[in-house]
Amino acid sequence: MAVPYDPNFTMAITIGGQIEIDDDLEHDESASAAIVAVDLISSARLALKLDSVYTEYSAQYLVDNARPKDRHKKKDRQRGKNRKLTVKDCLEFALKKGIPKAEDWPELGSVSKPSSSYKPALVSMKGKVIEAKNIEEACDLLIDQPVGAKLHLFSPQIDLVGDGIYGGHSGEEHGYVGLRDGIILGVEKIQGKSIATVKLWYKKKFQFVKVALSRMFFDSARGIAPTTLLVDYCVPRLSIN
């Protein structure tokens, strides 16, 4: 049973002893980042009427191509190949290089790759990636478009929240899952507190979660300084010219 949301509780402190939870065994950070990035792009293009309908772009293309490449040193090349993508990485690549529609590239997770001679039609994405330093700046960006972010997840709290409000842990038994990519869709006031609606990529699917923006936590064992549950805000600011 989920712990009821308490709007007056603001800071949870962990001083070691809590375990890491790995119940999302198939989580792929790069795939997650790419999925969220293309969703942000599709939403931004529809809002600006650059696309007449919501158009799906290829997350797998970003997974295959968006990792940084260094041609000088073998060790650096391998490091770039193994580095996990972030939403910012994916957005910057798409805006600089363009990206094909989902129908023009293999599906996400496909083991088959097009021949080296195949060149998909790329949709040009003029613009830049904007980052917000805090939730206040993220809310300003939210006026115009959904905002990408990462959410600190605790189990079993995230799995039991249902239609309630997710506030991390409140001192009760918990395990730390890690950060997961999501999209802030809007913010509203509930019981006098700001609550975000987040489209969260978790366990290989999107789910909608209401997140308490005033809730913070501090975890000395993992070196996590006092932080809000949502972090790492960014958006693709597209140009219509």
Side-chain angles (χ1 to χ4, degrees):
M1 181 176 179
V3 175
Y5 168 66
D6 180 358
N8 297 315
F9 185 89
T10 58
M11 174 71 80
I13 300 175
T14 298
I15 309 177
Q18 294 297 337
I19 61 172
E20 298 264 350
I21 295 294
D22 194 14
D23 60 353
D24 191 9
L25 297 176
E26 296 184 3
H27 178 68
D28 183 322
E29 290 181 41
S30 294
S32 171
I35 289 165
V36 167
V38 295
D39 195 298
L40 287 167
I41 288 171
S42 296
S43 298
R45 287 183 62 86
L46 181 60
L48 291 172
K49 295 183 171 56
L50 294 171
D51 291 330
S52 58
V53 296
Y54 183 92
T55 303
E56 292 186 20
Y57 293 92
S58 176
Q60 184 62 51
Y61 185 82
L62 294 176
V63 172
D64 292 339
N65 296 280
R67 288 185 177 87
K69 297 178 176 63
D70 189 318
R71 300 179 181 178
H72 299 294
K73 297 180 181 179
K74 182 178 180 180
K75 185 176 181 180
D76 289 341
R77 287 200 303 271
Q78 189 64 32
R79 186 182 297 117
K81 181 179 180 181
N82 293 334
R83 188 172 77 83
K84 302 300 184 182
L85 289 171
T86 66
V87 173
K88 181 184 176 184
D89 291 333
C90 293
L91 292 176
E92 288 181 336
F93 180 87
L95 269 57
K96 182 178 181 180
K97 301 289 188 179
I99 184 174
K101 295 179 180 179
E103 62 200 50
D104 295 326
W105 197 258
E107 293 182 359
L108 187 67
S110 175
V111 295
S112 63
K113 303 296 180 186
S115 67
S116 58
S117 61
Y118 173 66
K119 303 298 180 184
L122 299 179
V123 179
S124 177
M125 304 277 177
K126 295 181 180 180
K128 60 182 179 179
V129 179
I130 304 295
E131 295 182 272
K133 296 178 182 178
N134 50 48
I135 188 60
E136 289 76 21
E137 290 186 6
C139 287
D140 289 339
L141 295 173
L142 193 60
I143 295 172
D144 298 313
Q145 62 190 105
V147 175
K150 286 181 177 292
L151 179 63
H152 286 283
L153 298 191
F154 296 90
S155 181
Q157 288 76 14
I158 188 61
D159 299 298
L160 298 177
V161 64
D163 294 329
I165 297 173
Y166 175 69
H169 75 90
S170 301
E172 69 278 5
E173 185 175 346
H174 66 276
Y176 183 64
V177 176
L179 286 165
R180 293 294 184 267
D181 294 302
I183 300 170
I184 305 174
L185 301 177
V187 174
E188 61 184 316
K189 289 285 187 180
I190 298 179
Q191 299 182 51
K193 300 293 184 178
S194 294
I195 306 297
T197 297
V198 176
K199 186 178 180 181
L200 177 70
W201 182 257
Y202 179 50
K203 294 187 176 180
K204 301 185 74 172
K205 64 181 180 180
F206 275 121
Q207 56 183 280
F208 295 90
V209 182
K210 290 189 179 297
V211 178
L213 297 184
S214 60
R215 184 64 56 83
M216 301 182 69
F217 81 98
F218 165 56
D219 191 330
S220 61
R222 297 182 180 87
I224 301 175
T227 179
T228 52
L229 295 170
L230 284 164
V231 295
D232 296 351
Y233 315 101
C234 65
V235 299
R237 183 58 55 85
L238 303 181
S239 170
I240 60 176
N241 297 321

